[in-house]
Amino acid sequence: MTAPEYFTVEYAINPWMDTSTPVDTALALDQWDTLRRVYAELGHTVELVTPLDGLPDMVYAANGGFLVGDTAVVARFAYPQRAGEADAYAEWMAAAGYRTARTDHVNEGQGDLLLVGSNLLAGYGFRTDRRAHDEIAAITGLDVTSLELVDPRFYHLDTALAVLDDSTIAYYPPAFSDNARRRIGELFGDAIEVGSADAYVLGLNVVSDGRHVVMPAAATGFAGQLRRAGFEPIGVDLSELLKGGGSVKCCTLERHP
Ligand code: ARG
């Protein structure tokens, strides 16, 4: 995770961002720290990346890359405002002992790359270039399933689809093309379909350990669905970070074994 020490909304690269809305950076730090503590209480190890002045979106650590085994696929950002984050995250990855690999095409890390069991779900349409999916399949050896996103509010896969355990997902169907929806239906017969009210507070932007689902507190409908499916939702309020178009999952780069 990377603290939102320099978090602001000074440019707008997704529909959630409005440069005229004031951001309370101190509150963002408090909210982010609560998330960090929730992870610690659940027994997770949280390592911190040093935030850099001038990179206000660096708090969204999920976009830094994709980590599996000893391999780190370093992000290549779509927008120049975030380009500097790639080297900062690559430096942390190398120091942590990862073999780092770069792609020629745009990939925004775990924003668009979500591992379910041994299947890597990969989003495209707004940020990650579909051609990067093949590069990442070659680098990691994982099976990659490409899913097209069609609604600009759900510009990263992790805004529209949540991985709950090795075979269970939840998603917001209108965010996907017809083909992607069909593919999701084939792969996950028991997928949880989330409604607009939950999707529009980024309710799907969660981190699950297979039982506890750390999620945006405002997504109360989805929390009920999770409980009925046997999961334990843990709501966290990240309202300041929603102003940048991100929430729980965006703030978290997971290390897959
Ligand atoms: N402002 C950031 C951007 O538009 C938000 C990134 C959110 N991260 C995520 N994993 N969805 O790039």
Side-chain angles (χ1 to χ4, degrees):
M1 297 177 74
T2 310
E5 215 166 299
Y6 303 105
F7 176 65
T8 57
V9 178
E10 61 191 44
Y11 52 78
I13 56 172
N14 71 54
W16 304 81
M17 301 174 89
D18 175 354
T19 54
S20 64
T21 307
V23 170
D24 184 339
T25 303
L27 179 57
L29 268 163
D30 269 5
Q31 294 178 336
W32 174 89
D33 202 54
T34 301
L35 176 63
R36 190 188 60 75
R37 276 188 286 114
V38 166
Y39 288 142
E41 279 158 23
L42 289 172
H44 299 298
T45 304
V46 179
E47 292 181 44
L48 301 179
V49 179
T50 309
L52 297 178
D53 196 0
L55 295 173
D57 274 338
M58 207 176 153
V59 60
Y60 303 113
N63 300 126
F66 177 78
L67 309 175
V68 63
D70 64 354
T71 302
V73 179
V74 179
R76 181 177 298 284
F77 284 89
Y79 289 100
Q81 292 95 329
R82 296 196 68 184
E85 295 179 41
D87 284 345
Y89 280 105
E91 208 176 287
W92 179 87
M93 290 162 186
Y98 285 95
R99 168 182 80 90
T100 58
R102 304 261 183 170
T103 59
D104 292 333
H105 299 287
V106 166
N107 91 78
E108 294 205 347
Q110 288 177 5
D112 278 319
L113 302 167
L114 297 175
L115 192 61
V116 194
S118 58
N119 191 354
L120 183 62
L121 304 183
Y124 70 97
F126 297 101
R127 301 290 182 88
T128 299
D129 187 315
R130 191 176 182 169
R131 291 169 295 180
H133 296 179
D134 295 331
E135 296 184 81
I136 292 160
I139 294 166
T140 62
L142 291 166
D143 289 327
V144 174
T145 301
S146 298
L147 299 172
E148 186 181 11
L149 296 162
V150 296
D151 179 336
R153 277 230 156 226
F154 303 97
Y155 58 95
H156 275 143
L157 184 63
D158 71 356
T159 64
L161 187 146
V163 180
L164 301 173
D165 65 24
D166 283 351
S167 58
T168 315
I169 63 132
Y171 74 121
Y172 179 55
F176 294 90
S177 69
D178 289 344
N179 273 333
R181 283 158 83 152
R182 200 169 313 122
R183 195 75 191 100
I184 291 170
E186 286 165 8
L187 288 170
F188 309 101
D190 59 352
I192 297 175
E193 297 192 10
V194 166
S196 312
D198 292 313
Y200 275 74
V201 291
L202 287 184
L204 285 160
N205 200 243
V206 312
V207 172
S208 174
D209 60 13
R211 173 158 175 232
H212 310 97
V213 182
V214 183
M215 63 181 299
T220 52
F222 182 36
Q225 289 176 293
L226 285 169
R227 249 179 245 114
R228 288 192 290 282
F231 294 96
E232 226 179 279
I234 301 172
V236 178
D237 179 10
L238 292 182
S239 59
E240 285 311 295
L241 293 158
L242 192 63
K243 295 175 180 175
S247 192
V248 173
K249 170 60 202 168
C250 300
C251 292
T252 315
L253 180 64
E254 289 170 84
R255 304 179 73 167
H256 298 294

